[in-house]
Amino acid sequence: MPLDLTASAADITRAICDIPSVSGEEKPLADLIEEAVRALGHLEVLRDGNTIVARTNLGRAQRVAIAGHIDTVPINANVPTRDVEIDGEALIWGRGTVDMKAGVAVQLKLAAELTAPVVDITWMWYDNEEVEAARNGLKLLADHRPDLFQADFAILGEPSNGEVEGGCNGTLRAVVRTTGVRAHSARAWIGENAIHRAAPILARLAEYRPREVAVDGLEYREGLNAVRISGGIAGNVIPDACEVEVNYRFAPNKSAADAEAHVRNVFAGFAVEITDVAEGARPGLDAPIAQEFVAAVGATPKPKYGWTDVARFSALGIPAVNYGPGDPHLAHHDEERVPLSQITATERGLRSWLSGA
């Protein structure tokens, strides 16, 4: 059934959440989005893989990029959606309602209805955000069509409780290794236990105190945590290798090199391999267009603690913020649910600013 963009943003949320689009399986939803926006005469529509771009070309003095990913983490008995009420508040429950199809629904609704916005708009709905960066549809679009990223400001519809969250933390993953000597566990003194040698790594992590770092007026909270540990050969063998994977979330005043140096310093004396790193994004709220947006939606800016694709825009010199319905704490949760009031408020805020009302 075609997407009905004349429906309410809440109904569009229900419709697109009920179309499974786990990362790598976005084509059916991408097809429906493309079909719906191609029917709108005021938009130029392009497609790159399963990423859909729709833009106005009105010759406005400024252009804004507004983006949202259409994939979700795996479904776990939480599709189709259903309407629920908690403490007197009406919500839509189901996979993707928070991360981030309610935000996409608001964008689709406005893309259809705002035929004469005060700025030109480039709408971007992309795939594979929830998986490795090499598959990210926004990254691939930037590789294939960098011209589409020409903008003065960018808004990503990531869940932010309907508030404005500026920039984002960076993220780094590393593997910290220990080695030992195998032996029969009945004669453990002959070997050297690599898992036991990991105890100082865990102690350093347990004693680590994350910092709060002020960046352009926002306080970003950092974190360094073990996220995986592996080692061992058999139930009667002293292990000769152990790996502790750690994740460092770092404030956007640091570069990837700064983050790597910090992690290597924390684990000095151990073998450290950096396996993945993505720089954060400064808030970008000092740009006049960003200040106009914040004032128009009546928000008090907050920091984004997680990493989001605002960093891709920031790396291109485009100030970018997160603004979408849904509680970030419920992203990926099996009890994902979004308040109808936040969908309505986010739509109202964006509509007001983009229409100059």
Side-chain angles (χ1 to χ4, degrees):
M1 176 178 290
L3 281 180
D4 179 7
L5 300 188
T6 67
S8 69
D11 282 342
I12 297 172
T13 298
R14 295 182 183 96
I16 63 177
C17 285
D18 288 345
I19 301 168
S21 59
V22 174
S23 303
E25 302 171 6
E26 300 95 335
K27 186 178 184 302
L29 179 54
D31 289 346
L32 288 174
I33 290 174
E34 180 184 17
E35 178 185 20
V37 295
R38 282 200 185 278
L40 304 171
H42 63 283
L43 294 174
E44 175 192 10
V45 179
L46 309 97
R47 180 163 180 164
D48 185 274
N50 287 323
T51 293
I52 311 301
V53 177
R55 59 182 181 174
T56 63
N57 293 297
L58 300 170
R60 303 298 196 225
Q62 294 177 303
R63 178 173 290 276
V64 175
I66 303 179
H69 65 82
I70 64 173
D71 63 321
T72 72
V73 296
I75 293 167
N76 188 22
N78 47 8
V79 169
T81 56
R82 65 173 187 261
D83 292 315
V84 300
E85 184 175 303
I86 299 177
D87 297 328
E89 183 170 47
L91 308 102
I92 305 173
W93 173 97
R95 174 63 78 226
T97 53
V98 171
D99 195 9
M100 55 167 283
K101 289 184 176 180
V104 168
V106 167
Q107 294 170 3
L108 288 168
K109 175 73 172 171
L110 294 178
E113 296 184 354
L114 295 178
T115 59
V118 296
V119 293
D120 270 314
I121 307 172
T122 301
W123 304 95
M124 298 174 167
W125 300 292
Y126 62 101
D127 61 336
N128 281 313
E129 189 271 348
E130 301 289 5
V131 290
E132 63 270 20
R135 294 167 56 190
N136 184 292
L138 203 61
K139 174 194 177 300
L140 296 176
L141 183 67
D143 291 343
H144 302 160
R145 291 293 306 272
D147 58 298
L148 296 177
F149 285 76
Q150 294 177 7
D152 300 284
F153 183 51
I155 301 168
L156 198 69
E158 287 283 359
S160 61
N161 275 317
E163 298 289 344
V164 173
E165 293 184 333
C168 67
N169 273 335
T171 181
L172 177 150
R173 286 186 297 151
V175 175
V176 187
R177 294 186 172 90
T178 62
T179 59
V181 177
R182 291 191 194 187
H184 196 295
S185 60
R187 300 172 182 81
W189 61 89
I190 296 175
E192 296 177 8
N193 195 309
I195 293 178
H196 292 182
R197 286 184 171 181
I201 298 172
L202 302 180
R204 293 181 196 185
L205 287 165
E207 294 165 2
Y208 187 86
R209 294 295 174 263
R211 290 175 287 190
E212 293 188 5
V213 182
V215 183
D216 299 342
L218 298 182
E219 293 281 336
Y220 291 85
R221 184 177 175 84
E222 297 190 327
L224 181 65
N225 292 280
V227 293
R228 182 184 62 86
I229 186 167
S230 61
I233 301 97
N236 60 351
V237 178
I238 299 301
D240 62 347
C242 182
E243 294 184 345
V244 180
E245 183 176 11
V246 298
N247 181 212
Y248 179 38
R249 299 287 175 150
F250 55 95
N253 65 323
K254 293 183 177 67
S255 67
D258 294 334
E260 178 177 347
H262 179 70
V263 169
R264 291 190 183 280
N265 181 63
V266 170
F267 299 108
F270 290 95
V272 177
E273 178 189 359
I274 307 299
T275 58
D276 184 48
V277 63
E279 299 203 13
R282 299 184 77 93
L285 295 171
D286 52 348
I289 190 172
Q291 294 172 5
E292 293 167 8
F293 167 70
V294 171
V297 301
T300 299
K302 300 176 181 179
K304 171 64 82 173
Y305 295 129
W307 187 92
T308 74
D309 278 309
V310 295
R312 300 194 188 281
F313 291 101
S314 180
L316 296 171
I318 303 168
V321 299
N322 304 277
Y323 180 64
D327 183 348
H329 291 94
L330 291 174
H332 303 183
H333 197 290
D334 285 343
E335 295 298 322
E336 262 189 271
R337 55 192 182 270
V338 63
L340 294 181
S341 60
Q342 286 189 11
I343 296 175
T344 301
T346 303
E347 179 188 350
R348 183 172 57 245
L350 272 176
R351 184 188 298 275
S352 173
W353 181 61
L354 293 170
S355 63

